[in-house]
Amino acid sequence: MFSGAPAFAQVATGATPLRFTDSTEEKRFHALVSELRCVMCQNQSLADSNAQIAVDLRREVLELMRKGKTDAEIKDFLVARYGEFVLYRPQVESKTWLLWFGPALVLLAGGIVVVGAVRRRSRPSAQAAADERNDEQEW
């Protein structure tokens, strides 16, 4: 008698596919869930993940869309609940500057090092110039 209850409960939480009212809602939904990260999975979006929490979050996103929330409001709701980890593209803020601008700074520092090394090698060294003068004086 009790063995049927959990199976029935699992069907109720369900893997029933989401139904969209029109193609615009479907496109907006897919664009939004592809920008949101599954909070349980390693580097998978809500759209890609098959985890139960991703299924639940997809349903919640669709509910929020149907309540008239904007994409930004939905993202803010999920960030308040799960932190910025849920966003694939974190917002540019003072605490994310290193994330956004760090690669450009590393590239710039590498370019400066390369230019410095090339300039040092292209100049004749003082020792080489002195050796040349000594060679000329012997003759």
Side-chain angles (χ1 to χ4, degrees), residues 33-46 49 53-54 57 75-91 93 95-96 99:
V33 295
S34 66
E35 291 182 6
L36 298 170
R37 185 187 315 258
C38 174
V39 294
M40 286 275 297
C41 310
Q42 286 289 325
N43 209 17
Q44 280 188 317
S45 70
L46 281 184
S49 176
I53 193 165
L57 286 175
K75 286 178 185 177
D76 289 345
F77 173 79
L78 292 173
V79 166
R81 208 174 201 189
Y82 300 105
E84 289 210 18
F85 174 78
V86 78
L87 299 175
Y88 262 118
R89 285 184 281 161
Q91 299 169 354
E93 299 174 341
K95 63 183 177 185
T96 59
L99 175 69

Side-chain angles (χ1 to χ4, degrees), residues 23-117:
S23 64
T24 305
E25 182 185 62
E26 185 176 359
K27 285 179 185 173
R28 180 179 168 214
F29 174 80
H30 287 298
L32 187 58
V33 295
S34 66
E35 291 182 6
L36 298 170
R37 185 187 315 258
C38 174
V39 294
M40 286 275 297
C41 310
Q42 286 289 325
N43 209 17
Q44 280 188 317
S45 70
L46 281 184
D48 297 334
S49 176
N50 290 325
Q52 185 60 44
I53 193 165
V55 172
D56 294 342
L57 286 175
R58 284 194 296 261
R59 291 188 186 287
E60 190 156 1
V61 166
L62 186 59
E63 279 183 32
L64 291 171
M65 285 173 52
R66 289 183 174 159
K67 288 180 181 175
K69 303 281 185 189
T70 65
D71 290 357
E73 289 172 334
I74 293 170
K75 286 178 185 177
D76 289 345
F77 173 79
L78 292 173
V79 166
R81 208 174 201 189
Y82 300 105
E84 289 210 18
F85 174 78
V86 78
L87 299 175
Y88 262 118
R89 285 184 281 161
Q91 299 169 354
V92 179
E93 299 174 341
S94 61
K95 63 183 177 185
T96 59
W97 284 353
L98 186 61
L99 175 69
W100 284 101
F101 304 116
L105 291 174
V106 169
L107 186 64
L108 181 66
I112 290 171
V113 168
V114 168
V115 167

